[in-house]
């Protein structure tokens, strides 16, 4: 983060101090996460390669009654932003006033909805109330914007408002009149949106959508995002909510032009920016997608291949809706058919299958995305300036190779994919492509140097003519660039070998190559290199003053770049790790700059390996230490192999789309009472870790209660149900936790992923187990 950098927009990229810049943003909702967990979530986000976080400001969370604003506790936007800055993250503030985010009334307070005032348009009374809300936000951001040396670099106006450019322009003008000055102003640009020139369009792309119909196997609006594509528009994201709102709204202008019915070509005057690449997917009652880590990583890489210059993920970290106290609505703070939405979603859980789960669980796509983000940190300034040329068959073609090239004429990257979520594309045997002027390269060359077999089910990107230093060039490689460091005596460049693809390198300007490899000269005077050892943390090649470290995927998934002893270092850790500012906990609210840091490990294993790169000129190259967490991973199975009698309520449909409605009658639910042993309820001290309950079950809907209080809920969809018991230790001493479980009934018609669909009707609890996740500060 460089608060003094000048941020500008060109037709093709964002620039910092005139240099092309490739930001990476992840959505994290402060008001859905306990403030005690903010620092860890933000630290993991930074360690995952994010350069910034985005967050909605849900109006209803802050003004539950007219004129009564609350910015305390989990609603403390200012403290959240300062905490992000302390972790070296910049911030995009999504101002609303309507946000959606699967929140009741899209974030509008109930009193506003019930007032009868026309919303989301230039109505004087509505604008007056928005002005009061915006004024409060601007006050929270005082001194924190980029122009003041702070972390807030962008503001997003509204959400998915496609047909009122004048109103969107009014909202920006209003925010600026109230004193908000930021370099970047954006608005969601999908759905054929017509935006004013004062707002940059930001795009979306999801691997699946809970808002599709329950009869839809895989939504057509998702398929295109696994095919390199020049068109950025997406008419499918949130289209059911748009239809519902349009049906209720009075037309603003009878002469307004209708929205397009086909995706629009990109505006050549605006760069390709994204804000909602699916970091996972939420579930609705009628449709419950199961998006995999491979889905998320492949979609993200395809977006880069298609020309993105800003990766923005929704969601990056899950959370929980406020419920059962304070200003929370007694029917829940979630989107539901009861408030006019087409879909019922869980009352509390907003896990979203995100890279960082609702309770902090780090999923495989966190690591898969981090590999991409490390690459962007190393070479994004070059990549952002490279044009994209896309090729291959159509989105419906499962036989042709899908490819794209981003290049600046001299060098570039070749993107290749045989991956789609609903069934792999054909493998590509003996793959070798001739790249030249049609792909944006000045001269013609074969890539790779020798043909290789590209397996089915893979998405990858290979460097072409990558400068390693002033004298050495990586002409081609069948491995991915992960990161690079400048060290005394030369650079170390780290590559990731993908499973099933043999590593071959073609180097120019190199006389001698040493290490576990076989090097031969070519007719063109280049050096062709093949490995003689399996890729791994010790496979280091020396090519003049450049060293190439060739990692396998499992090792690359463990690699983070973190500050160690005052400098950025490569770290391999067998558990999630991040850096945090060295302050007494909690981090002071007025901390807005990265300070001295220490490493923090989150582990469910009693011992963790932590290796720090010591530089290619020393032995050993990696310095290993063992991090001990004796209480981590302690488990107790509270029950197992239960087949429980339960009665399903009569199915109901509702909402404007007449979709299946979530049951409200739990009178026939199976009940499981779980008493938590006292030894698990001992508090190890602030920040020591979490006590988690994981329920492996099949059924329909589950609720967890402590007495009369609902603390968690779950629409079964194939993943374990995880409940953080840490905040409820005292209540658990007074009584058991009760699970209320409704039975699965296939005939109801709820859509779940084919991989988990073949289950018996009824309720089956395979296990309910306690597990401890420890938080260990690494010292010394």
């Amino acid at each position: 983060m460089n608060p003094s950098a000048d941020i500008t927009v060109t037709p093709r990229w964002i620039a910092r101090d005139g240099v092309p810049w490739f930001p990476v943003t992840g959505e994290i909702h402060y008001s859905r996460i306990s403030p005690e967990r903010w620092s860890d979530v933000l630290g993991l986000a930074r360690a995952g390669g994010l350069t910034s976080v985005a967050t909605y400001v849900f109006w209803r969370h802050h003004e539950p009654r007219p004129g009564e604003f609350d910015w305390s506790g989990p609603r403390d936007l200012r403290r959240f932003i300062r905490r992000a800055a302390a972790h070296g993250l910049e911030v995009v503030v999504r101002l609303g006033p309507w946000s959606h985010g699967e929140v009741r009334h899209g974030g509008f307070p109930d009193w506003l909805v019930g007032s009868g005032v026309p919303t989301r348009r230039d109505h004087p009374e509505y604008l007056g109330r928005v002005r009061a809300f915006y004024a409060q936000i601007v006050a929270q951001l005082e001194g924190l914007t980029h122009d003041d040396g702070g972390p807030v670099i962008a503001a997003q106006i509204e959400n998915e408002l496609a047909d009122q450019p004048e109103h969107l322009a009014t909202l920006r003008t209003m925010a600026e009149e109230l004193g908000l000055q930021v370099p970047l102003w954006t608005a969601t640009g999908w759905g054929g949106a017509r935006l004013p020139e004062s707002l940059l369009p930001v795009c979306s792309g999801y691997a699946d959508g809970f808002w599709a119909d329950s009869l839809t196997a895989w939504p057509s609006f998702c398929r295109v995002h696994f095919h390199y594509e020049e068109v950025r528009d997406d008419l499918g994201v949130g289209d059911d909510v748009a239809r519902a709102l349009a049906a209720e709204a009075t037309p603003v202008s009878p002469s307004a032009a209708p929205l397009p019915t086909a995706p629009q070509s990109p505006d050549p005057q605006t760069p390709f920016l994204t804000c909602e690449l699916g970091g996972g997917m939420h579930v609705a009652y009628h449709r419950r997608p199961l998006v995999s880590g491979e889905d998320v990583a492949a979609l993200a890489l395809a977006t880069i291949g298609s020309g993105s210059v800003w990766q923005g993920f929704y969601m990056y970290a899950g959370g929980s809706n406020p419920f059962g106290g304070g200003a929370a609505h007694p029917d829940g703070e979630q989107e539901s058919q009861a408030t006019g939405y087409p879909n019922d979603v869980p009352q509390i859980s907003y896990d979203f299958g995100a890279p960082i789960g609702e309770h902090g669980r780090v999923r495989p796509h966190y690591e898969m995305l981090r590999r991409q983000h490390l690459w962007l940190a190393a070479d994004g300034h070059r990549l952002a300036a490279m044009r994209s040329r896309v090729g291959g068959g159509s989105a419906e073609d499962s036989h042709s190779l899908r490819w794209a090239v981003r290049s600046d004429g001299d060098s570039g990257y070749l993107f290749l994919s045989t991956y789609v979520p609903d069934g792999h594309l054909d493998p590509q045997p003996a793959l070798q492509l001739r790249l030249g002027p049609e792909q944006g390269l000045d001269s013609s060359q074969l890539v790779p140097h020798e043909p290789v077999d590209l397996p089915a089910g893979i998405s990858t990107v290979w460097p072409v003519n990558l400068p390693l230093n002033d004298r050495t060039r990586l002409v081609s490689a069948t491995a991915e660039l992960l990161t690079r460091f400048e060290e005394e005596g030369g650079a170390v460049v780290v590559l990731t070998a993908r499973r099933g693809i043999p590593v071959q390198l073609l180097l120019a300007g190199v006389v001698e190559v040493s290490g576990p490899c076989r090097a031969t000269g070519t007719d063109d005077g280049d050096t062709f290199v093949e490995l003689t050892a399996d890729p791994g943390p010790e496979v280091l090649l020396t090519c003049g003053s450049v060293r190439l470290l060739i990692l396998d995927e499992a090792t690359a998934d463990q690699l983070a770049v973190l500050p160690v002893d005052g400098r950025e270092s490569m770290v391999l850790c067998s558990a999630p790790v991040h850096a945090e500012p060295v302050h007494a906990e909690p981090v002071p609210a007025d901390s807005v700059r990265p300070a001295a840091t220490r490493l923090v490990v989150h582990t469910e294993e009693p011992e963790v390996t932590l290796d720090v790169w010591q530089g290619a000129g020393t032995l050993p190259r990696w310095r290993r230490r063992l991090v001990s967490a004796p209480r981590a991973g302690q488990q107790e199975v509270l029950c197992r192999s239960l087949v429980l009698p339960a009665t399903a309520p009569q199915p109901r449909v509702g909402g404007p789309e007449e979709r299946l409605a979530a049951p409200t009658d739990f009178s026939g639910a199976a009940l499981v009472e779980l008493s938590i042993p006292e030894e698990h309820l001992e508090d190890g001290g602030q920040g020591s870790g979490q006590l988690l309950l994981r329920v492996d079950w099949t059924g329909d809907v589950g609720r967890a209660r402590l007495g009369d209080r609902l603390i968690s809920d779950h629409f079964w969809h194939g993943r374990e149900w995880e409940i953080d018991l840490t905040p409820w230790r005292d209540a658990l001493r007074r009584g058991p936790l009760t699970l209320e479980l409704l039975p699965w009934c296939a005939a109801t018609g709820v859509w779940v992923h084919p991989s988990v669909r073949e289950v018996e009707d009824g309720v089956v609890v395979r296990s309910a187990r306690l597990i401890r996740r420890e938080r260990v500060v690494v010292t010394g």
Side-chain angles (χ1 to χ4, degrees):
M1 186 175 73
N2 180 2
S4 64
D6 183 32
I7 298 176
T8 55
V9 181
T10 79
R12 289 179 43 218
W13 60 77
I14 307 292
R16 293 189 83 129
D17 286 339
V19 178
W21 173 45
F22 206 127
V24 181
T25 303
E27 189 89 10
I28 300 174
H29 295 158
Y30 61 96
S31 57
R32 281 172 158 159
I33 300 174
S34 169
E36 290 74 22
R37 292 188 50 238
W38 284 351
S39 187
D40 285 342
V41 172
L42 291 166
L44 286 168
R46 187 71 182 95
L50 299 195
T51 62
S52 55
V53 295
T55 192
Y56 276 131
V57 184
F58 293 120
W59 190 349
R60 66 178 297 107
H61 290 181
H62 295 286
E63 193 181 5
R65 289 166 292 278
E68 297 181 16
F69 289 93
D70 186 352
W71 300 93
S72 65
R75 297 164 294 278
D76 193 338
L77 172 63
R78 185 173 184 84
R79 185 181 180 198
F80 176 80
I81 292 172
R82 285 171 158 167
R83 189 69 58 87
H87 283 280
L89 290 162
E90 294 176 313
V91 179
V92 178
V93 179
R94 301 180 81 173
L95 302 175
W98 190 84
S99 301
H100 193 194
E102 289 70 67
V103 169
R104 181 180 174 88
H105 295 310
F108 281 163
D110 282 29
W111 58 261
L112 175 66
V113 175
S115 69
V117 173
T119 59
R120 306 184 76 188
R121 65 190 65 183
D122 283 353
H123 185 279
E125 190 171 352
Y126 174 64
L127 291 179
R129 298 184 182 192
V130 173
R131 177 176 286 273
F133 174 51
Y134 272 15
Q136 287 277 322
I137 297 175
V138 173
Q140 293 296 311
L141 302 183
E142 183 179 358
L144 297 180
T145 62
H146 183 78
D147 289 0
D148 290 329
V152 179
I153 57 170
Q156 183 174 305
I157 295 295
E158 253 279 346
N159 185 32
E160 297 174 345
L161 187 59
D163 61 349
Q164 295 186 56
E166 295 85 2
H167 176 57
L168 295 175
T170 296
L171 292 175
R172 171 177 172 172
T173 299
M174 178 189 296
E176 288 183 304
E177 289 173 349
L178 291 166
L180 182 57
Q181 300 295 323
V182 291
L184 304 171
W185 292 86
T186 71
T188 50
W190 54 85
R194 295 192 292 269
L195 302 183
E197 292 184 358
S198 58
L199 297 175
L200 286 169
V202 285
C203 303
S204 65
Y206 288 92
D208 207 330
F210 71 82
W211 55 87
D213 190 86
S214 58
L215 299 178
T216 302
W218 189 37
S220 59
F221 60 80
C222 299
R223 186 174 299 276
V224 69
H225 298 299
F226 293 87
H227 178 259
Y228 305 110
E229 177 62 70
E230 294 177 349
V231 173
R232 308 168 191 171
D233 196 7
D234 189 326
L235 299 183
V237 175
D239 62 335
D240 59 344
V241 171
R243 289 194 302 270
L245 294 175
E248 293 180 358
T250 302
V252 176
S253 170
S255 61
L259 291 173
T261 57
Q264 301 300 289
S265 297
D267 181 350
Q269 298 305 308
T270 60
F272 183 5
L273 315 178
T274 70
C275 73
E276 286 198 20
L277 299 177
M281 180 45 57
H282 200 31
V283 294
Y285 181 73
H286 74 284
R287 193 172 200 281
R288 309 176 192 182
L290 187 61
V291 171
S292 72
E294 289 81 6
D295 296 344
V296 173
L299 182 145
L301 194 58
T303 305
I304 299 173
S306 297
S308 167
V309 294
W310 189 323
Q311 296 288 92
F313 295 93
Y314 189 102
M315 297 287 296
Y316 191 79
S320 307
N321 292 320
F323 189 83
H329 194 278
D331 294 332
E333 288 291 302
Q334 81 287 0
E335 167 183 324
S336 70
Q337 294 172 357
T339 54
Y341 285 97
N343 315 298
D344 279 340
V345 300
Q347 287 185 308
I348 293 181
S349 178
Y350 199 65
D351 177 84
F352 215 87
I356 303 172
E358 179 179 9
H359 303 302
R361 191 173 193 174
V362 173
R363 296 194 168 100
H365 45 303
Y366 171 88
E367 298 162 341
M368 297 175 189
L369 291 176
R370 178 170 60 190
R371 285 166 28 192
Q372 297 179 19
H373 302 161
L374 289 175
W375 164 47
L376 295 178
D379 210 32
H381 61 289
R382 296 178 62 251
L383 186 67
M386 293 179 179
R387 293 187 179 275
S388 178
R389 278 86 170 174
V390 301
S394 68
E396 289 72 33
D397 181 358
S398 63
H399 305 295
S400 302
L401 174 70
R402 297 182 177 183
W403 61 267
V405 174
R406 287 187 72 163
S407 68
D408 59 11
D410 293 329
S411 65
Y413 287 93
L414 171 63
F415 296 78
L416 303 165
S417 178
T418 57
Y419 187 92
V420 287
D422 68 339
H424 296 323
L425 307 176
D426 289 349
Q428 301 293 318
L431 174 70
Q432 190 178 45
L433 302 178
R434 180 166 292 281
L435 306 182
E438 289 187 2
Q439 291 76 39
L441 292 169
D442 294 339
S443 59
S444 179
Q445 67 183 82
L446 288 172
V447 178
H449 182 68
E450 296 290 340
V452 299
D453 294 339
L454 190 69
I458 196 166
S459 176
T460 189
V461 55
W462 296 342
V464 178
N465 288 330
L466 176 71
L468 299 180
N469 60 21
D470 292 341
R471 300 176 58 188
T472 307
R473 195 162 33 92
L474 185 57
V475 179
S476 65
T478 57
E480 299 171 357
L481 177 63
L482 182 59
T483 188
R484 65 178 292 155
F485 275 87
E486 296 299 327
E487 297 183 330
E488 185 177 347
V492 56
V493 177
V494 187
L495 301 173
T496 303
R498 297 297 302 272
R499 282 185 291 272
I501 303 176
V503 175
Q504 56 170 259
L505 312 171
L506 187 63
L507 294 157
V510 174
V511 177
E512 210 171 279
V513 179
S514 61
C517 66
R518 181 171 52 252
T520 56
T522 70
D523 293 341
D524 295 329
D526 298 332
T527 303
F528 179 59
V529 179
E530 298 174 283
L531 295 186
T532 56
D534 292 335
E538 302 299 332
V539 176
L540 188 70
L541 310 183
T542 300
C543 317
S545 62
V546 177
R547 296 172 177 87
L548 299 177
L549 182 63
I550 317 294
L551 301 181
D552 59 289
E553 283 190 77
T555 303
D557 283 344
Q558 292 188 2
L559 190 139
V561 176
L562 299 171
V564 178
D565 297 330
R567 65 184 181 89
E568 294 288 285
S569 302
M570 292 191 293
V571 175
L572 295 176
C573 191
S574 60
V577 61
H578 67 87
E580 73 172 8
V582 178
H583 290 293
E585 290 293 335
V587 175
D590 60 354
S591 176
V592 296
R593 294 285 185 274
T597 59
R598 60 193 178 193
L599 298 185
V600 177
V601 173
H602 301 265
T603 177
E604 296 178 13
E605 299 292 336
E607 192 169 76
V608 174
T609 59
L610 180 68
D611 297 340
V612 178
W613 178 254
Q614 295 300 292
T618 62
L619 291 175
R621 300 183 189 109
W622 296 98
R623 181 185 55 156
R624 168 159 293 190
R625 65 173 298 174
L626 299 179
V627 178
S628 178
R631 300 181 71 194
Q634 292 179 356
Q635 294 195 37
E636 181 162 339
V637 179
L638 302 179
C639 65
R640 68 168 74 247
S641 302
L642 301 180
V643 180
L644 301 170
T647 303
Q650 188 67 26
R652 301 179 299 115
V653 297
E657 302 277 327
E658 289 292 300
R659 289 174 175 166
L660 286 166
T664 56
D665 177 8
F666 278 73
S667 61
L671 302 181
V672 179
E673 287 197 346
L674 302 174
S675 295
I676 311 301
E678 173 62 31
E679 60 266 26
H680 292 290
L681 298 176
E682 297 173 357
D683 189 351
Q686 185 176 17
S688 64
Q690 294 170 277
L691 178 63
L692 304 164
L693 176 68
R694 289 188 180 144
V695 184
D696 183 5
W697 76 300
T698 58
D700 184 23
V701 175
R703 304 195 303 193
R705 290 188 175 276
L706 277 170
D708 292 333
R709 178 152 190 170
L710 179 69
I711 68 166
S712 181
D713 58 347
H714 188 254
F715 292 177
W716 177 79
H717 59 286
R719 288 194 185 96
E720 286 183 322
W721 177 12
E722 184 171 271
I723 306 169
D724 187 0
L725 300 182
T726 313
W728 309 105
R729 284 191 174 107
D730 290 341
L732 287 165
R733 288 188 173 96
R734 297 190 294 268
L737 178 74
T738 301
L739 304 182
E740 302 174 333
L741 309 174
L742 290 176
W744 178 253
C745 182
T748 301
V750 170
W751 189 94
V752 292
H753 195 271
S755 65
V756 299
R757 191 171 296 163
E758 300 303 321
V759 297
E760 298 290 333
D761 284 1
V763 172
V764 176
V765 180
R766 287 184 283 271
S767 68
R769 69 189 195 281
L770 295 172
I771 189 164
R772 184 176 294 277
R773 180 190 298 138
E774 285 296 294
R775 181 185 193 275
V776 184
V777 176
V778 180
T779 58

